[in-house]
Amino acid sequence: MADGIEIGFGPMEQGGQGPGGSGDLVVFVGDDLALGSAARTALGSAGADLVAKAAASEKFKGRSLSALSLPAPAGIHADRLVVVGLGSEKDRTKIDWPVLGGFTASKVSSRSARVVLDWPGTTVSAAQAGEFALGARLRTYTFDRYKTKKKPDAEEKGGTALTLLLAEHGTASREGEAARTLSEGVILARDLVNEPPNVLFPEEFAKRASELSKLGVEIEVLEPARMRELGMGALLAVAQGSVREPRVVIMRWNGGPAGEAPIAFIGKGVVFDSGGVSIKPGGGMEDMKGDMGGAAAVVGALHALASRKARCNVVGAIGIVENMPDGGSYRPSDIITSMSGQTIEVINTDAEGRLVLADVITHIVRSAKPKAMIDLATLTGAIIVALGQDIAGMFSNDDALAANINAAGEATGEKVWRMPLIPAYDKAIDSKFADMKNTGGRHGGAATAASFIKRYVEEVPWAHLDIAGVAMSSNASEINRSWGAGWGVRLLDRLVRDHYEAR
Ligand code: BES
Ligand code: MN
Ligand code: ZN
């Protein structure tokens, strides 16, 4: 498998027999090892016999996400045969299409492969093939921009071309296009998370987000002078220890009826979080280049929505800052005034994300009047303690919105788990000297952080996704081998598709 992948669609007949050569031929079988008719035609009787024999000698049982790879016999138009297992009949009723696509792409070893999407009892739809293609693209992503010696493999092969063969190939190119643009959004987010902060400082981040204008997204960039006029004292306090100026980027995609209230996505964009004066320990501090995973997801989602011309009004807003210790830094005991007018006593300069979000949220609530608002932030280590690295924490003031996000999470595999917001958490952030303090003590750290943000959302239906565990340092999966996961792009795209788009 090489980095970079081209995916096309074709009719089943292209699986057919012919002279030798021409890359991999991929077929699928369940645990009964039975081939579909198109797969059988593609392999011919010699190929089918070989598969049966090889399966027996290699102990290949057709289990879900297992594979058998062999040299193709004479008379088959391929160099290698790859047989991918789909498991039991029950497994085959609940196929995760992106996962199957990712797994299959990882088993392809030639420059090109034809993938016969055919097995007994199933007709693969164009939409399913599109999801398969999405998984294949995401799996083959690698971030090697800063390796001066690429893997010889990647250099030689350049990329892999997959042709997905299916009965419904007529409508597949449209689904394939949707998969391509969505994968581009995820990959954009991954790139942003993986980039180091000396390259991706706030101004550069704003520049990259501004490139969405090519897709018809309206871009507004706020510089410090404008932030001061607006009174963004909380965001500016975090930024004041860094030599890199902060930016706020507002991205508007107006694909819905003119004048209709938008849905708002807000992202935490701390390009590097040293902790500031309340400095973090050295071990693992390098991971804090990923503290902009929320902002990356928002940019990636806007990219995906604009690329597919979603029929919905969306506003994305990201607060981009660097949190550094310096003679000019903000400090514990400072009292700062947020754009909302509420004052905040700083207890810990490492609880900076909520300060950034507070001002961006106030600005969007007042200027865009959104009908719903979702913020994404790598906000707390506490959410990782509570939920681990495979599911994000969700806090919400609106049951319907929370249910919709939950459904989108289930549909995409970017899962969320709803956490409580109760008055006790809110009480924990009351301050002796100001309206609130920026930490709530040792207990319930993710919940007190969420309660802090809640004080800025006014009456807007809102959900906060704490993605500290899922955005970076990701567990390897069938569709992701990257440190930065691009988590949230598919979730937001799906949420819009299922609940906010005019049909
Ligand atoms: N960016 C961190 C949270 C984080 C930790 C993200 C680990 C990803 C991995 C955040 O700004 C932070 O430092 N939070 C503190 C809050 C505390 C000082 C109240 C935390 O979680 O320890
Ligand atoms: Mn921090
Ligand atoms: Zn942070």
Side-chain angles (χ1 to χ4, degrees):
M1 178 185 66
D3 185 19
I5 196 163
E6 273 304 312
I7 299 181
F9 297 88
M12 287 298 188
E13 296 75 56
Q14 283 180 20
Q17 288 168 264
S22 205
D24 290 8
L25 181 64
V26 183
V27 298
F28 298 84
V29 295
D31 60 0
D32 55 5
L33 300 183
L35 291 162
S37 64
R40 175 167 284 282
T41 306
L43 292 175
S45 57
D49 281 354
L50 179 69
V51 166
K53 280 207 186 93
S57 70
E58 301 290 316
K59 301 197 169 57
F60 174 76
K61 302 268 190 260
R63 272 182 293 117
S64 175
L65 304 184
S66 65
L68 174 69
S69 176
L70 10 137
I76 294 194
H77 185 48
D79 299 313
R80 297 191 69 77
L81 303 179
V82 179
V83 188
V84 173
L86 297 166
S88 66
E89 216 173 316
K90 191 160 164 249
D91 292 338
R92 278 171 270 159
T93 62
K94 49 179 174 65
I95 288 173
D96 185 322
W97 295 94
V99 164
L100 184 61
F103 176 80
T104 302
S106 75
K107 295 299 167 190
V108 167
S109 59
S110 306
R111 276 211 62 162
S112 71
R114 283 159 302 136
V115 180
V116 184
L117 287 176
D118 170 59
W119 50 87
T122 303
T123 303
V124 177
S125 72
Q128 289 164 338
E131 298 249 288
F132 182 101
L134 174 69
R137 280 177 202 290
L138 294 179
R139 173 61 179 263
T140 51
Y141 168 86
T142 53
F143 184 77
D144 59 3
R145 197 167 287 174
Y146 299 102
K147 298 256 193 206
T148 60
K149 298 182 191 69
K150 311 281 179 210
K151 289 203 179 111
D153 205 39
E155 239 162 56
E156 254 168 53
K157 295 203 288 190
T160 305
L162 286 193
T163 307
L164 308 185
L165 308 182
L166 70 163
E168 281 189 23
H169 81 281
T171 51
S173 59
R174 205 186 57 227
E175 302 286 348
E177 180 59 13
R180 195 181 59 73
T181 56
L182 181 53
S183 69
E184 272 177 12
V186 177
I187 285 167
L188 171 59
R190 286 181 182 175
D191 277 344
L192 291 168
V193 175
N194 287 328
E195 283 281 20
N198 60 326
V199 174
L200 194 72
F201 45 92
E203 201 182 336
E204 172 65 18
F205 198 135
K207 211 172 109 199
R208 296 212 190 167
S210 300
E211 283 169 20
L212 295 185
S213 63
K214 290 181 199 147
L215 299 171
V217 177
E218 234 174 69
I219 303 287
E220 185 187 356
V221 179
L222 309 185
E223 299 188 356
R226 180 69 187 133
M227 295 178 205
R228 279 193 288 275
E229 274 172 22
L230 289 166
M232 293 184 160
L235 185 153
L236 286 165
V238 176
Q240 79 193 32
S242 172
V243 297
R244 307 289 201 177
E245 281 186 358
R247 292 288 185 271
V248 170
V249 183
I250 300 159
M251 298 155 276
R252 292 187 183 81
W253 169 250
N254 299 315
E260 190 176 281
I263 176 165
F265 301 145
I266 314 287
K268 170 180 173 182
V270 177
V271 296
F272 183 70
D273 180 13
S274 69
V277 167
S278 313
I279 197 162
K280 288 178 182 295
M285 202 200 271
E286 69 278 13
D287 283 355
M288 287 301 112
K289 73 169 181 176
D291 206 18
M292 28 54 70
V298 171
V299 173
L302 266 286
H303 180 100
L305 292 168
S307 297
R308 67 172 179 80
K309 302 205 182 334
R311 285 158 298 180
C312 173
N313 295 336
V314 183
V315 54
I318 55 179
I320 324 171
V321 304
E322 183 180 42
N323 187 22
M324 293 292 268
D326 178 77
S329 291
Y330 79 136
R331 53 186 94 56
S333 75
D334 279 1
I335 294 176
I336 58 187
T337 303
S338 65
M339 181 178 168
S340 71
Q342 301 177 95
T343 57
I344 305 160
E345 179 190 8
V346 177
I347 302 297
N348 188 321
T349 63
D350 197 11
E352 85 297 339
R354 64 201 75 182
L355 302 175
V356 173
L357 289 172
D359 281 344
V360 177
I361 285 173
T362 296
H363 183 58
I364 292 302
V365 165
R366 294 185 181 173
S367 64
K369 304 199 179 349
K371 63 181 172 193
M373 177 165 63
I374 300 168
D375 78 77
L376 297 94
T378 50
L379 205 63
T380 67
I383 201 68
I384 312 178
V385 174
L387 298 178
Q389 291 207 279
D390 296 300
I391 190 163
M394 171 168 70
F395 297 83
S396 180
N397 63 3
D398 189 278
D399 291 346
L401 177 61
N404 290 346
I405 294 171
N406 193 63
E410 289 296 327
T412 56
E414 292 186 331
K415 293 187 185 175
V416 303
W417 193 263
R418 191 168 179 186
M419 306 286 281
L421 277 171
I422 56 172
Y425 300 132
D426 182 75
K427 198 155 167 273
I429 54 170
D430 282 338
S431 158
K432 228 184 311 180
F433 300 108
D435 296 334
M436 70 196 79
K437 52 187 182 180
N438 78 330
T439 65
R442 251 163 40 80
H443 302 307
T448 51
S451 292
F452 183 99
I453 297 169
K454 186 168 182 281
R455 292 196 184 195
Y456 295 83
V457 302
E458 300 180 13
E459 301 305 311
V460 177
W462 152 80
H464 158 59
L465 304 182
D466 193 334
I467 62 171
V470 292
M472 61 177 107
S473 192
S474 314
N475 293 327
S477 75
E478 295 298 349
I479 60 169
N480 183 36
R481 301 278 141 161
S482 159
W483 184 81
W487 195 100
V489 175
R490 291 186 300 128
L491 175 86
L492 295 177
D493 176 73
R494 185 64 178 241
L495 178 75
V496 168
R497 182 188 302 259
D498 288 352
H499 297 286
Y500 293 96
E501 257 183 286
R503 296 256 147 216

